[in-house]
Amino acid sequence: MRENYSPIARIRVAAVSLAVLCAAGGVLTGCGDAGATITRLTVGSPGPEPYTLMSGTDATKVTARPRAGGTRDGDTPGLYGGTRRAASCDQRRLIAFLQANPAKAKAWAGVQGIPVSDIARYVSRLTPVLLRTDTLVTNHGWRDGAATSGPAVLQAGMGVLINGYGVPTVKCNCGNPLTQPEKKIKAGGASYRGRSWPGFQKGKVTKIRPRDSREGTIETFVLVDPGATMGFERPRATAGALDGPPTELPPEETAESPSDSPAPIDSGSSSPGTDVPSDEPSPSPSPSATEPTETGVPTDEPSPGASDDPNHGGTAPAASEPTSDPGSPGPISMAPTEESGASPDW
């Protein structure tokens, strides 16, 4: 005999079925972040799975951004910080390191969706900044000769490189490539591992979405200094030498008192060894790698095969193997020592 279900009964059956499927696997789109575990990564630490090691990239004392948490557009004024006329990331060294390590270069380029041969040009078109909020990303690491990936929260004060749509793409203190977090992962409902820090709250973790691609890439970023005493403009793909003069703080900033990002503390919830920095020695550029030369501000003209996807992820073109002579890594605009006053101590 054929059974006839009322519309209400059908809705109830569908709801129960969806709940069972979500509880069983948590893998369906729309099921949220069931079972998600996010790793906290602190300033001053490369984390457990670094591509390389770099020092002097992070700031341990930053004034908290008044509006933290939720989702922010990559072109929001004051979303990022920095030190005027000084760089927080050594792009030259990152390029030289990848050119000297073909296996890591292939994995790194695959995450960014570019061919290996385009790494130098791609990196030179990124912009160094400091995070001003604890930020949710997908962190792509390297362990035991293979690439890894997983959701992570980067502590405010960490140095990153951002692309032309305002999305973090490189973690400066270890060279790890970054992409946007999966949409199903929500910071408020996930569990966390790794060392915590004073002031960390799930509700204040920020997601950053790319600027609307229909508006084109960002020409100038409005940054705030670590103490939130002034704003200034930094043109895209420059590293401090062309920073604008001090300006008033962006409208969203308030007169809140500075909130330090102190050294992390043990939250008691981390797994043994979860956030212990690697003892891998800081690599020196290979003698076979050509030293980049200062040639001014990189152009914004896209190179063949370069990814213009604002998310900088997804399917990557077939990566070409580096040659024994990587050649010049292309133009990089780094802040001259005499202008920055105190260049990072690498």
Side-chain angles (χ1 to χ4, degrees):
M1 182 177 68
R2 182 178 179 181
E3 297 184 19
N4 293 320
Y5 292 99
S6 68
I8 294 179
R10 291 174 182 171
I11 292 174
R12 288 175 178 171
V13 171
V16 170
S17 300
L18 180 60
V20 171
L21 289 172
C22 287
V27 295
L28 294 180
T29 301
C31 288
D33 53 356
T37 299
I38 300 174
T39 301
R40 287 180 291 237
L41 298 176
T42 61
V43 295
S45 171
E49 300 170 354
Y51 268 69
T52 183
L53 299 175
M54 296 185 182
S55 61
T57 64
D58 303 341
T60 57
K61 293 184 178 181
V62 295
T63 296
R65 190 169 188 270
R67 298 185 181 181
T71 301
R72 301 291 174 181
D73 292 322
D75 58 358
T76 302
L79 177 63
Y80 296 110
T83 300
R84 183 172 171 269
R85 303 189 72 80
S88 58
C89 199
D90 194 334
Q91 289 158 272
R92 290 181 176 183
R93 182 172 175 180
L94 176 60
I95 291 170
F97 171 79
L98 291 173
Q99 288 177 332
N101 293 269
K104 289 185 176 181
K106 184 176 181 180
W108 195 98
V111 172
Q112 304 292 10
I114 60 173
V116 173
S117 59
D118 204 42
I119 286 178
R121 185 176 180 86
Y122 176 81
V123 173
S124 72
R125 295 173 64 201
L126 302 177
T127 307
V129 297
L130 296 174
L131 296 177
R132 297 189 66 221
T133 63
D134 298 337
T135 303
L136 182 64
V137 298
T138 298
N139 177 47
H140 300 264
W142 182 268
R143 180 179 60 197
D144 299 330
T148 64
S149 67
V153 168
L154 308 184
Q155 184 183 7
M158 190 168 291
V160 296
L161 292 173
I162 57 176
N163 64 18
Y165 296 90
V167 176
T169 58
V170 179
K171 184 171 175 281
C172 291
N173 64 16
C174 63
N176 286 14
L178 305 172
T179 55
Q180 288 184 270
E182 295 182 40
K183 292 182 179 180
K184 68 179 182 180
I185 295 179
K186 293 179 174 57
S191 59
Y192 288 79
R193 65 182 176 187
R195 290 181 294 169
S196 186
W197 49 85
F200 172 78
Q201 296 180 31
K202 294 181 180 181
K204 290 188 176 181
V205 173
T206 302
K207 277 188 177 182
I208 299 176
R209 64 187 168 205
R211 181 190 199 185
D212 189 336
S213 60
R214 293 171 296 183
E215 298 181 19
T217 55
I218 302 167
E219 296 299 324
T220 303
F221 294 96
V222 178
L223 307 182
V224 171
D225 74 312
T229 62
M230 66 176 182
F232 63 93
E233 294 186 347
R234 174 167 293 175
R236 177 194 172 200
T238 66
L242 299 181
D243 286 352
T247 62
E248 294 183 357
L249 293 171
E252 283 194 4
E253 302 296 321
T254 67
E256 289 185 357
S257 59
S259 173
D260 292 346
S261 293
I265 59 174
D266 192 343
S267 65
S269 61
S270 59
S271 302
T274 296
D275 204 33
V276 178
S278 168
D279 57 1
E280 176 186 353
S282 182
S284 299
S286 169
S288 63
T290 303
E291 179 67 17
T293 57
E294 184 78 16
T295 57
V297 182
T299 64
D300 283 338
E301 181 182 354
S303 59
S307 172
D308 282 326
D309 180 359
N311 301 312
H312 278 293
T315 304
S320 60
E321 294 294 340
T323 62
S324 57
D325 180 13
S328 173
I332 304 176
S333 177
M334 304 299 293
T337 302
E338 62 271 18
E339 292 186 352
S340 65
S343 59
D345 180 16
W346 303 111

